[in-house]
Amino acid sequence: MGPFGFAVFFVVIEFWQAVNGSRCNVYKGKWVYDASYPLYNFTDCPFILEQFNCQHNGRPDHLYQKFRWQPTACTLPRFNGRDFLQRFRGKRIMFVGDSLSSNQWLSLVCLLRKSAPHAKYTFQRIGGLSTFSFPAYRISIMLSRNAFLVDIVNGKHGRVLKLNSIGGGQLWKGIDVLIFDTWHWWLHTGRKQPWDYVQDNNVTHKDMNRTVAYEKALRTWARWVNLNVDPAKTKVFFQGVSPDHMNSKDWVDRTANTCVGEIRPLLSGEYLAGPHPAQVILNKVLRSVSKPVHLLDITGLSQLRKDGHPSVFGYRGRHAIDCTHWCLPGVPDTWNELLFAALIQT
């Protein structure tokens, strides 16, 4: 038995949940209106970053906060923060990835803070590592900002993205729960590109096909998991690919161009653009991992939430349209409900 009181005995690519005696795929379902949502308000959580704090930034509508994910054949357990704190007393939970990891990490911090409003907490940021702790429970919820998972190093001629090097993994060893994420930074070019060259084994390129580079980096991460994770001590998740809504053709809306002005989700259960290409690559790589890795398959259900982005109510307001990140409270709270369900069922 592992430290959470359960045995790890199979590799999970898609998480199948047993609820009330039935088995269902919790990632297949639809969004339904629920007046009891959101699970917290932005005023309950002073840690929300400006770019995610849509209500504080003047977003006038609230309907997007009132939807709950309903699986087709079962009910997703409501997030129970006190239960979470008790179950993971003395544990360390770390999100590793880009700003979408930050979105989910802050959501979890807010959910736990709402559940234990009188519990003392500490918050510390050292370099790229942020740690939120509840001393009474000896639990730490950490965020390690690492947009590519593999290394970027300074070389003689500039910054080099090394697809086969993962020195940052030293920080991940011994963590009780790891939740990884990478995708969006792989497409950045120009000033937003944080590297000058990309190195694949011993060959250095000025650039290369980004999806090819993405897959090579994921395979380096997969090897790290196979070599370094003890399933009896560490539980590994991958967040999946969070979709953006910059092109309304993806959901066939001729009245819009981006997510701006969207106030309700797609309720049909289908996203006409189909599977996300990066998720297809991720699924392929996950099948090669010999250690248990649990996919939080958030892509499909998040594709339906064209309404959940900051749009013009994020960082810099109307000077920058954000159809990539998510308002808090909002969609990442559902990701954490899925995470909680996975942790208590497996």
Side-chain angles (χ1 to χ4, degrees):
M1 298 287 280
F4 306 112
F6 51 75
V8 177
F9 56 92
F10 62 102
V11 176
V12 177
I13 299 301
E14 291 190 7
F15 173 58
W16 289 73
Q17 181 195 21
V19 181
N20 298 327
S22 65
R23 285 183 75 82
C24 79
N25 183 345
V26 294
Y27 303 110
K28 299 296 183 182
K30 62 182 179 180
W31 292 97
V32 298
Y33 178 83
D34 189 328
S36 69
Y37 277 61
L39 300 175
Y40 60 91
N41 294 309
F42 78 92
T43 53
D44 300 320
C45 192
F47 318 103
I48 301 176
L49 295 177
E50 178 186 357
Q51 56 260 46
F52 309 146
N53 204 344
C54 303
Q55 292 295 311
H56 181 268
N57 294 337
R59 180 164 177 169
D61 60 300
H62 298 80
L63 183 62
Y64 72 95
Q65 298 180 332
K66 296 291 185 179
F67 287 91
R68 171 176 54 83
W69 179 247
Q70 176 60 60
T72 300
C74 60
T75 299
L76 184 65
R78 193 179 181 93
F79 187 88
N80 186 325
R82 289 192 175 274
D83 186 18
F84 189 104
L85 291 168
Q86 291 289 356
R87 285 177 182 269
F88 300 104
R89 182 183 291 270
K91 305 302 180 186
R92 294 183 298 164
I93 299 170
M94 181 182 286
F95 292 84
V96 183
D98 56 24
S99 52
L100 277 306
S101 281
S102 178
N103 234 173
Q104 188 176 2
W105 171 74
L106 281 169
S107 164
L108 183 56
V109 167
C110 292
L111 288 165
L112 295 176
R113 178 64 180 153
K114 176 64 174 180
S115 301
H118 303 297
K120 292 183 178 180
Y121 64 87
T122 63
F123 176 73
Q124 184 180 50
R125 181 180 289 117
I126 301 176
L129 181 66
S130 300
T131 304
F132 187 95
S133 301
F134 288 92
Y137 296 91
R138 295 180 291 109
I139 185 174
S140 295
I141 314 295
M142 296 176 282
L143 170 70
S144 175
R145 289 297 298 266
N146 190 327
F148 297 94
L149 302 185
V150 293
D151 298 333
I152 297 178
V153 301
N154 290 319
K156 290 188 300 182
H157 303 292
R159 303 159 299 174
V160 182
L161 175 64
K162 307 188 74 170
L163 299 179
N164 313 105
S165 174
I166 199 159
Q170 291 297 319
L171 184 66
W172 314 335
K173 292 182 178 180
I175 300 297
D176 298 292
V177 180
L178 289 166
I179 306 102
F180 291 97
D181 154 65
T182 184
W183 167 241
H184 284 281
W185 280 86
W186 288 93
L187 299 182
H188 284 325
T189 59
R191 289 185 298 175
K192 287 189 175 182
Q193 179 180 301
W195 47 266
D196 303 300
Y197 300 92
V198 56
Q199 181 177 318
D200 180 18
N201 290 317
N202 294 321
V203 181
T204 300
H205 307 272
K206 181 62 179 175
D207 204 349
M208 66 185 300
N209 182 288
R210 301 304 180 84
T211 56
V212 171
Y214 173 66
E215 180 172 346
K216 288 177 178 289
L218 284 179
R219 293 197 179 281
T220 298
W221 167 84
R223 287 191 293 273
W224 183 92
V225 171
N226 285 335
L227 290 171
N228 293 282
V229 168
D230 180 353
K233 298 179 179 179
T234 299
K235 197 162 186 62
V236 180
F237 290 84
F238 210 103
Q239 185 195 73
V241 175
S242 175
D244 64 45
H245 289 91
M246 285 300 298
N247 187 351
S248 65
K249 292 180 181 179
D250 291 343
W251 61 93
V252 190
D253 183 352
R254 293 184 175 87
T255 66
N257 292 313
T258 66
C259 69
V260 175
E262 298 289 345
I263 61 172
R264 55 178 56 86
L266 294 167
L267 301 177
S268 67
E270 295 184 6
Y271 193 66
L272 295 178
H276 195 292
Q279 188 67 47
V280 174
I281 295 171
L282 174 61
N283 289 344
K284 180 171 66 173
V285 173
L286 289 180
R287 286 192 289 269
S288 73
V289 184
S290 61
K291 298 290 179 69
V293 175
H294 304 264
L295 173 64
L296 287 177
D297 195 4
I298 55 97
T299 306
L301 62 91
S302 301
Q303 283 178 322
L304 302 177
R305 293 307 307 269
K306 57 188 174 63
D307 59 320
H309 299 286
S311 66
V312 295
F313 300 102
Y315 180 66
R316 294 183 62 210
R318 295 186 178 274
H319 296 288
I321 296 173
D322 185 353
C323 295
T324 298
H325 301 102
W326 303 92
C327 297
L328 294 179
V331 173
D333 303 328
T334 295
W335 302 351
N336 282 316
E337 288 188 289
L338 290 161
L339 175 64
F340 179 61
L343 286 168
I344 65 178
Q345 291 290 331
T346 57

